[in-house]
Amino acid sequence: MIFLTLYGHLTKVLVEPGDVVRQGDLIGLMGTTGYSTGDHLHLEIRYQGYVLNPINYLDLTIDPNGGDRPLVNDKDEDSHYRC
């Protein structure tokens, strides 16, 4: 199965198409680009041309740093959200 992901409103993309990423890898810096009113991440997951709800495929309770904090609203030292 091949899933495609789309990340919108990033101020900087840190990976290239085809890169292998693992859970917890920093892939981009979130921002407020395009028609947005504040920092946030637009995430889409696509499979065979269908846009799927990402919440059905993500575990937001995992902290890549090994703690109890969820990824949601977890700001790093540069005031960018980790995605």
Side-chain angles (χ1 to χ4, degrees):
M1 244 188 266
I2 296 177
F3 290 90
L4 299 175
T5 54
L6 179 141
Y7 303 88
H9 304 295
L10 294 178
T11 58
K12 186 173 184 180
V13 178
L14 302 175
V15 294
E16 301 281 331
D19 284 354
V20 175
V21 296
R22 291 177 175 75
Q23 179 178 314
D25 288 352
L26 188 61
I27 60 171
L29 303 179
M30 187 166 49
T32 179
T33 62
Y35 295 105
S36 63
T37 58
D39 287 359
H40 73 285
L41 173 68
H42 176 98
L43 168 63
E44 287 185 12
I45 296 178
R46 298 177 183 192
Y47 178 70
Q48 294 184 343
Y50 293 95
V51 177
L52 307 173
N53 186 343
I55 202 71
N56 297 324
Y57 299 88
L58 301 175
D59 182 354
L60 298 177
T61 63
I62 298 170
D63 178 6
N65 300 313
D68 309 358
R69 297 177 308 160
L71 289 174
V72 177
N73 294 332
D74 183 15
K75 281 195 167 189
D76 69 13
E77 59 278 356
D78 295 324
S79 295
H80 293 285
Y81 289 86
R82 290 191 175 274
C83 308

